[in-house]
Amino acid sequence: MASVCRQESCTIAETGVCLLNNDPAKCPNLTAELDTEPLLDVASEIMAPLAEPPKNPSFPLSLTLTPDQTSELMSRRYCHLVGVLGAPDAGKTAALVSLYLLVARNQLNGFSFADSRSLRAFDDLSHGARRWNEGQVPDQMTAHTELPDDRSAGFLHLRLKLEDQDKTFDLLLPDLPGEWTTEMLDNSRVDRLEFLKRADVIWLMVDGRQFARANTRQLVLHRTKLMLQKLAGFLKSAPPIKLVITRRDSGEPDNDALKFLHAEARTRGLDMEIHLIASFSDGNGIAPGQGIAELIAASCKNNSQAPQFWPQTQINGEEERAMFRFRSGKEI
Amino acid sequence: MVDQSIILIGGPDSGKTNYLARLWKALNSQHGVLFAPNVPGDIRYVEEALAHLLQGIFAPRSDKNFDEIKQSFSVPVVSTNDPSAKQIQVVVPDVTGELWQTAVETCELPEQWMTKLRNASGALVFVRIGSDQNVEPLDWVTADQLLKMPAVDICPEQKDIQKIPTQVLLCELIRFLEYSLAADLDNVRPRVAILVTAWDRLDMESRGNGPSAYIAEQYPLLAGRLNDISEFDIRVFGVSIVGGDFIDPAFQEEFFKADLKDVGYVDLEENGKVQTKSDVTLPVAWVISASDCSEQ
């Protein structure tokens, strides 16, 4: 039992030595037995905390997928991961919403809907849930476990069936704030965009209105060129790039601008195609959703080629012999 | 007797209760592929709904506060083709469509209903033609406006466009079934029948194309989803429980001259052809014949 002393500054409890040099067994100030009895039974005085109200059993959410959910999905099925990049207001959300509306109305030429693990997220986006949490842009992918009130950064999943074929394929489209792209350009902050290294294709979204206007044309060309340069630097072996020029209904870029961007991509060793899309339409003869089906088709075709079974290698020396040993199936 | 539970699923006003009442009449009349050899003990719930039908009125939407236990209809059935076979006790819990609507909105389901789902060997999913509760998918014009509009600026009159479209609701319900239907049963491959109710409201050409074509045209997301499911068997039925609409006085007059057991039909697809059968027990008969995987 611990000793407790009434004498101020006595350290008998810690040292076992009485401050007044009394025999601990006979010290009148020592009140161990009495004082160890609690004066107040705290446990009985304080009410037990309220039990958590019972929660209803839940189904998996169908919102944007977290990185973990994405990995789990990709471990079971091949998924075409699309890296969607673009400055704020480039038209990324509009393109995702238009894709969803095309699928929901069975107007995506060549494809039909098969499944989506993030159907509610698509639907919420289409209902205008485009603003991030009270204007605060998320700083990382959300690992939500409960139904959030706000839009959260993550991946949108869509499984499409090829028309007239009994074949489906899965698309993963990130729903990220444009500020992440801006920070990649301005501060080289790429830690949140590591997933691009696994991407099958990258969509670089650029606001088409800026190409059409004389006073913004040079700026958008400069920023797009910068985006290509940064991507080439960040991704050592970059996947095919689709430069997606949005808002086609507001005008089209001139050929010189497109040639300039093609030349820049070639210089950087990037395989780039340009797609013009109109997610919505101002009623000038361009149908809403125009160009999106072609973009989806182009984004998936590159991966449909089967790899060469026995690729010819240029390996020489020791590594070549190792390859020969492997081919002959013998241990040397 | 073998107990089998099948669950009725659908949004508000999708025709669940009216189908249940008509099913009871068919089972009791012993004219279909399934019949009820005995009258079950507690039939108050279905009798109340049936009373409406017999008087030429569709049963009103289920009372949200109705005692849930009373809304469960349990009836022993036997196949007409094999009357000596074991009776199957079919337990059909009906519940207000708002429960499923809320489940989709919150991704949660009360414990007792989750348990029922996990122990059910099949389900009937309802979608009603022309229901004022159906929500169309957005179009580009509305979506564009919504994207440009701050969420706080959406006025009360526009709240309807914030509702979950019917086809998204149905896809989510199918996802819930994938996750939980028959999850606590061993060696059962569940069956899910999609019932397109008020089938008589379609013109003859659309009816001739069959219920699957109707789903594909009206609900492309649901149609695609149904073709991409491997967890259970699916079959689509077009169902008209009385063969017309009581709003039409001429139909009502004709209905009163006939017998309820002789009206109503089911359209189904067999060998690529649409067939009309005057037996509303067919969807349930198909669902309860769920194959036992252990016997394969």
Side-chain angles (χ1 to χ4, degrees), chain B residues 115-131:
Chain B
T115 306
K116 285 185 199 302
L117 213 50
R118 296 180 67 89
N119 287 287
S121 62
L124 305 179
V125 178
F126 289 76
V127 50
R128 187 160 88 80
I129 297 170
S131 168

Side-chain angles (χ1 to χ4, degrees), chain B residues 177-178 188-190 228-233:
Chain B
L177 290 177
E178 267 187 312
V188 168
R189 181 172 171 78
D228 194 59
I229 285 174
S230 54
E231 279 73 13
F232 43 75
D233 296 330

Side-chain angles (χ1 to χ4, degrees), chain B residues 167-243:
Chain B
Q167 60 172 343
V168 174
L169 182 114
L170 291 165
C171 284
E172 286 291 276
L173 292 175
I174 294 289
R175 190 171 66 86
F176 293 171
L177 290 177
E178 267 187 312
Y179 177 75
S180 55
L181 188 61
D184 290 345
L185 303 178
D186 293 329
N187 299 318
V188 168
R189 181 172 171 78
R191 286 188 161 182
V192 174
I194 312 290
L195 272 64
V196 185
T197 56
W199 189 241
D200 52 86
R201 293 186 69 164
L202 288 187
D203 57 73
M204 289 310 287
E205 187 185 348
S206 302
R207 267 188 64 187
N209 293 332
S212 296
Y214 174 80
I215 295 272
E217 190 187 324
Q218 297 293 321
Y219 305 110
L221 295 181
L222 177 64
R225 194 72 191 83
L226 296 180
N227 288 326
D228 194 59
I229 285 174
S230 54
E231 279 73 13
F232 43 75
D233 296 330
I234 289 189
R235 194 161 184 189
V236 186
F237 299 85
V239 179
S240 173
I241 55 166
V242 293

Side-chain angles (χ1 to χ4, degrees), chain A residues 223-243:
Chain A
R223 294 292 284 182
T224 310
K225 177 183 164 186
L226 196 62
M227 205 140 51
L228 292 171
Q229 289 172 344
K230 286 276 184 176
L231 268 183
F234 171 45
L235 304 171
K236 298 301 170 208
S237 170
I241 309 279
K242 310 294 174 197
L243 181 67

Side-chain angles (χ1 to χ4, degrees), chain A residues 5 7 10 12 18-20 22-31:
Chain A
C5 186
Q7 177 66 43
C10 182
I12 192 166
C18 176
L19 182 71
L20 303 175
N22 290 330
D23 180 355
K26 297 176 181 170
C27 180
N29 292 326
L30 202 62
T31 57

